[in-house]
Amino acid sequence: MADRIPEEKIDQIRQALDIVEVVSDYVGLKKQGRNYFGLCPFHGENTPSFSVSSDKQIFHCFGCGAGGNVFSFIMDIEGISFQEAVVKLAERANIELEINVTSNLGEKKASKEIQAAKDAHELLRKFYHHLLVNTKEGQHALEYLLERGFTKESIDKFQIGYSLNSWDFVVKFLAKRDFSPEWMEKAGLIIKREKDGTFFDRFRDRIMFPIFDRHGQTIAFSGRSLGADEPKYLNSPETAIFNKSKILYNFHLAKPIIKKLQHAVLFEGFADCIAADRAGVENGIATMGTSLTDEHIAILRQNVHSITICYDSDNAGIEAAFRAGNLLDDAGFQVKVAIMPDGFDPDEYIKTFGPEKFRKDVIDASYTWMGFKFLYFRRGKNLQNEGDRLSYIEQIIKEISKLTKAVEKDHYLRQLATEFSLSLDSLKQQEKQIYFTEKRKEKSKATKNRKPLYIQNQVSELKPAYYTAERRLIAHMLKNRDTAYKIQELLQGNTFNIDEHQAIITYLLGYYEDHLEPNVSAFLSYLQDDNLRKMVATIEMMPINDELNEQELHDYIKQVLNHKKLLKIKEKELELKEAERTDFKKAISILEEIKQLRNSL
């Protein structure tokens, strides 16, 4: 059984960490006023509505309602328990917990099989690298890499290795260390023979490129043949620990540079990524033989605002760049595209022309996303042909109409007018026609697909006076302990009308029994209910006066109590209708009660 983590330790961890720094590891933040804003990692959005307060040490999303302190953020973003979040943040803060926290981390803890897969990959990554750089068996592979432009620094940085030309070395190597062959087969490291059920190595006589997850753990390999053996690259299959749609190669190494520059360069494969790194492009990342996915975009939007796509120059590469660019543009990134000369991929270009030319003539000379569209849509068209030319112009005007900045629209329309000797006014007129036509289509589509729930949500934002009054009272109670007790006294034993609001102040008054000073971040850890945590974070972000004057206080209390009286009046009015039919004396008595209740409002 795991020991309970003392509240003093939790407070110590919370005070040692700045929530802004923790959240910045997952979300790109920009300071606006006293708070920091970014795109919410918990729901898709193009306009930043995710706010982090360094003063209050809490976060809140005005879009989806997510909110809490540093512990709840880690719980939500990592999908882990409170205890696991405390352990993770204690390590970050270099605070020794000095208790047993590993024996009962619940269902989220990795199974023994998954842990064994991770351990085996880590062990083999070290062993393969050792074979390449330190043994005679790996000498020919090392020479092969050095001849092709790899440096020893690059080999060490990316932990490149070599797998022996053996059918069962890894099988025996892992078995001697008590790794289950059945588990290792599921991990993709060995293969089972159908004829007799024995196992053999998946990778033999290949240069081994380890694949790391975002935390730097080895989870897969890609083995390159040394000669003409096929396939040229043999990759690990997808496993419980390796999912290509969720992995960006080199992300764990590039992340600090990416966050510093707020810019990443996206390549198609890890070989290009490694070559670019040797050329000084250290913010490069790559997909693992798959198209860009929503999972990739979710990782990127937590860390960066601007991305340059650098794919191969062949038709497949151009099409892939266009698909990736559209996805990134829709997700709100600033997109550029680096165009490779015909017949070159980044690795070959760097080998042929050198690192400096790659940085200057390819990466630094990248096109804007709209500039790339000019090139993309003219492919396969004969612009000397009138039909092709008009089709191309119309397509480009349609793309220009999607731009949000007037200066950009004007710039590209002038470029189009100059290239084809057209009237700028006529192009602007056609752009406006296309823009409004597309807007009408979008509006019609949105109206058709709109769900009743959406309308209800919009209406529900107009809250009654007592609801707002209760929230403002809670906001002041969170800021001042004496105010909390004063409000409790003025309520004269009555409760708030909203059950969740009453639950919050009940917990808050309990919290104040043991804590003299208000601290909303600490109170969020005290709360056990996720919905109440989110509600408190929302209330804490409400703009209120620093001081609660007597008039304002009594107005709020009156709104709360009056609602109860109004409900009582409605109840009595129903009783009155019934009494008028059966008991005249009772009706007069009820009428008097109603009169007194109305006079007290």
Side-chain angles (χ1 to χ4, degrees), residues 30-37 51-55:
K30 286 187 176 180
K31 190 170 186 181
Q32 295 180 19
R34 298 181 68 176
N35 295 340
Y36 294 79
F37 285 85
S51 174
V52 185
S53 170
S54 183
D55 295 339

Side-chain angles (χ1 to χ4, degrees), residues 56-241:
K56 300 170 183 176
Q57 287 296 298
I58 64 173
F59 73 94
H60 174 66
C61 177
F62 296 95
C64 70
N69 61 7
V70 68
F71 296 110
S72 45
F73 177 80
I74 291 297
M75 288 165 65
D76 292 343
I77 199 79
E78 296 280 358
I80 58 179
S81 68
F82 175 73
Q83 189 179 51
E84 288 174 296
V86 173
V87 172
K88 188 179 183 74
L89 292 171
E91 291 176 359
R92 181 186 180 108
N94 293 317
I95 293 174
E96 181 63 51
L97 291 175
E98 299 174 350
I99 58 174
N100 175 26
V101 293
T102 59
S103 58
N104 186 28
L105 291 182
E107 295 179 2
K108 296 289 184 180
K109 184 178 179 181
S111 70
K112 289 182 179 179
E113 186 175 333
I114 290 176
Q115 190 58 51
K118 291 179 179 179
D119 291 343
H121 275 85
E122 281 291 305
L123 182 63
L124 283 176
R125 187 259 303 167
K126 294 174 184 176
F127 181 69
Y128 288 147
H129 183 63
H130 170 74
L131 282 174
L132 178 70
V133 299
N134 295 319
T135 70
K136 291 181 179 179
E137 290 85 348
Q139 186 64 31
H140 67 297
L142 181 60
E143 291 174 356
Y144 179 92
L145 286 170
L146 295 176
E147 287 172 3
R148 279 155 181 76
F150 283 79
T151 63
K152 289 187 177 180
E153 291 78 15
S154 184
I155 290 169
D156 285 339
K157 180 175 182 177
F158 292 97
Q159 286 290 287
I160 301 168
Y162 169 70
S163 58
L164 291 170
N165 189 12
S166 167
W167 284 94
D168 61 358
F169 183 87
V170 169
V171 173
K172 293 176 180 176
F173 180 80
L174 293 175
K176 285 180 181 178
R177 287 156 179 80
D178 297 324
F179 287 99
S180 163
E182 287 75 17
W183 288 4
M184 294 303 97
E185 182 200 10
K186 289 182 182 179
L189 295 172
I190 60 178
I191 300 172
K192 189 174 185 178
R193 293 185 177 92
E194 291 184 9
K195 62 179 181 179
D196 58 7
T198 59
F199 297 90
F200 63 96
D201 297 358
R202 178 178 293 275
F203 301 102
R204 301 179 305 280
D205 192 29
R206 286 178 177 268
I207 293 170
M208 301 299 290
F209 296 89
I211 311 302
F212 301 90
D213 65 14
R214 65 164 76 181
H215 306 296
Q217 289 187 307
T218 313
I219 55 171
F221 291 100
S222 181
R224 191 198 191 286
S225 65
L226 283 159
D229 292 347
E230 292 294 335
K232 183 178 178 181
Y233 285 98
L234 178 64
N235 300 322
S236 293
E238 294 210 344
T239 66
I241 63 172

Side-chain angles (χ1 to χ4, degrees), residues 401-448:
S401 74
K402 297 176 184 178
L403 297 173
T404 57
K405 296 179 181 178
V407 172
E408 282 187 293
K409 284 187 178 183
D410 185 74
H411 172 78
Y412 289 114
L413 286 172
R414 287 179 186 276
Q415 184 175 319
L416 200 62
T418 300
E419 181 178 1
F420 294 100
S421 301
L422 297 170
S423 161
L424 180 60
D425 289 339
S426 65
L427 288 179
K428 286 183 176 180
Q429 185 178 352
Q430 186 166 348
E431 183 274 321
K432 287 181 180 178
Q433 289 175 352
I434 292 173
Y435 173 81
F436 288 115
T437 299
E438 292 300 316
K439 281 294 178 185
R440 283 195 295 271
K441 287 180 182 178
E442 289 175 13
K443 186 176 181 181
S444 176
K445 186 177 179 181
T447 303
K448 185 178 178 181

